[in-house]
Each structure stands twice: as structure tokens, then as C-alpha cells.
Amino acid sequence: MERTSARRGLAALTAATALLAAGSASAHPHMWIDARAVIDVDAQHRITAVRQVWLFDEMFGAYATQGLPKGKGGSLPAATLKGMADDWMKALGEPISHYFTRVTVGGKTATFAAPRDAKVDWNPKTTRLTLSFTLPLATPMPVGADGAQVDIYDPTYFVAYAFDEKGAVSLGGPDAAACTSAYRKPKELDWKTMQQLAAIPADPDALPDELFAITKGLTHRIEVRCP
């Protein structure tokens, strides 16, 4: 049930953006995102929100905007960008997909309130789309003695994230300076596994169980501690 729901949420996102239109990439992953994340911490050392910025790759931008009416210089109307933001956030809001984001403290996973500040920007010169949004926690979670973990990943590996930009991971909020964050990259895939993933077609149902288990480990983890 969990696997089916995760696939359905991803399928909705890719359908909404025409990522898997005819002629799109035939290997995993199908979408690359240069990401940034800010973890908001309040004065009581509680995580209150996760703010994210996703910069999609050029191929994704070309497919997602194909056939859309454009203005001067290739710009997109504000109404079109707002519609994209609304559609994408709705697709990402599937309970199991959970915006591809998990906040965990002491083994307990946080529940998000309705996302806010969702916005899509389009750069016609680079043909890249950017989605920015804030995920407020339904109930702020104390970081705790053992710290908190923020995981960002797509278990089906249709989406590959990178937090390579300097300052891509940071803390925000009124008492951010009292806490620290540490970013851990996901494990590297071996050549054989990469070749197996590359051979899988653009169909969520085609991902074998053993590879699904492997890709679930491709997690970008942010450890937050407040001494």
C-alpha cells in the first residue's frame, strides 16, 4: 500500500508537468534538482518549518513549458506560474509522498500543516524552473537530546537531488545561532546498480522490489542539534 501510494504521488507530479512526454529520458533518474533547504528553529529549540527551493534541470523546463503561451523574451504569465505551483504542491501532498521530506525526532515522524508560500519561477534564458515552498510542522517538534533528522529523497529515484551549492543547507528562525546542522550525502550507487536503474523504463510500476529497497537509501539527511 505504501509503495503504491508513493508511486501514485510521483506519477501525478510527472503527469502535471509533462515530464514523461514522448521522447523524454529513458533512464533513472528522470529529473534532476539542485536543492536548498532551511530548517526553522524557534526560541524553544523546536523545529517549526522546512523551507525548500528546488531548481529543476533544463530538460524538465523544456518539457514542462512546451506548448505554453509565452510572452516577450519567452516569459510565462503569472497566472500560468501560479497554476503550476498549485498543481505541483497538490501532487506532492500525497500522504505517503509527503513532499519527499521527512522530519524525525526520537523515532517519531512529524506531520506537516498545509504548505505555504509556494511559488514557481521561470528563467527562459536557462530554461530552468524553480519551485520554492515552506512546509510548516503541524506541531513544532523539540529537537531533543539526540537531535532531529530532516530527510529529503524520492524513494522511487525518479527525482535525483543535489545539495552541492555553498550554503545549500542552513538553519533559520529566531534561535538558529544556538543550534547546528550537519549535512550527509546519500551513499554512492555501484556501477551495476546504476546500469540496472538505467534500463528501467519511465514507469513507476517497473521498479523491481530489490532496486526499490536500494533507492530508498538515497537519502539526503540533515542532522539538527541544539546543545
Side-chain angles (χ1 to χ4, degrees):
M1 178 65 177
E2 177 175 339
R3 180 176 176 181
T4 301
S5 297
R7 286 170 168 172
R8 189 181 301 118
L10 182 62
L13 176 61
T14 53
T17 56
L19 174 65
L20 300 182
S24 64
S26 59
H28 279 60
H30 301 278
M31 182 194 303
W32 288 263
I33 292 176
D34 293 320
R36 300 199 307 271
V38 179
I39 318 301
D40 283 337
V41 181
D42 68 10
Q44 286 75 48
H45 293 176
R46 301 178 302 176
I47 293 180
T48 59
V50 181
R51 291 181 278 145
Q52 299 191 58
V53 178
W54 296 357
L55 177 60
F56 297 92
D57 64 83
E58 295 88 342
M59 183 179 294
F60 176 85
Y63 278 112
T65 61
Q66 188 175 16
L68 294 178
K70 295 183 174 69
K72 185 178 180 180
S75 62
L76 288 174
T80 298
L81 295 173
K82 183 181 185 305
M84 281 185 175
D86 292 343
D87 289 343
W88 292 358
M89 296 310 297
K90 182 178 180 180
L92 288 167
E94 177 110 12
I96 300 301
S97 297
H98 217 232
Y99 306 98
F100 297 147
T101 305
R102 299 287 189 279
V103 177
T104 308
V105 179
K108 182 179 179 181
T109 300
T111 299
F112 295 123
R116 64 173 188 261
D117 306 326
K119 181 183 178 184
V120 169
D121 291 302
W122 162 246
N123 187 329
K125 293 183 179 179
T126 62
T127 66
R128 301 189 73 173
L129 287 157
T130 303
L131 171 66
S132 56
F133 59 96
T134 298
L135 292 177
L137 272 62
T139 302
M141 295 186 72
V143 171
D146 295 327
Q149 295 80 45
V150 179
D151 294 333
I152 300 173
Y153 73 106
D154 170 18
T156 61
Y157 200 45
F158 272 66
V159 179
Y161 290 93
F163 288 83
D164 295 335
E165 183 182 332
K166 184 178 180 181
V169 172
S170 61
L171 299 178
D175 207 24
C179 304
T180 61
S181 66
Y183 166 66
R184 188 188 73 191
K185 286 186 175 182
K187 62 182 181 181
E188 296 286 341
L189 291 176
D190 60 82
W191 177 252
K192 181 180 179 181
T193 303
M194 290 175 65
Q195 291 297 100
Q196 288 176 294
L197 286 169
I200 298 172
D203 178 2
D205 292 325
L207 194 63
D209 289 341
E210 63 271 19
L211 290 180
F212 188 87
I214 292 172
T215 57
K216 286 184 73 173
L218 299 176
T219 301
H220 296 265
R221 170 160 290 186
I222 305 166
E223 298 273 358
V224 180
R225 293 186 179 275
C226 298

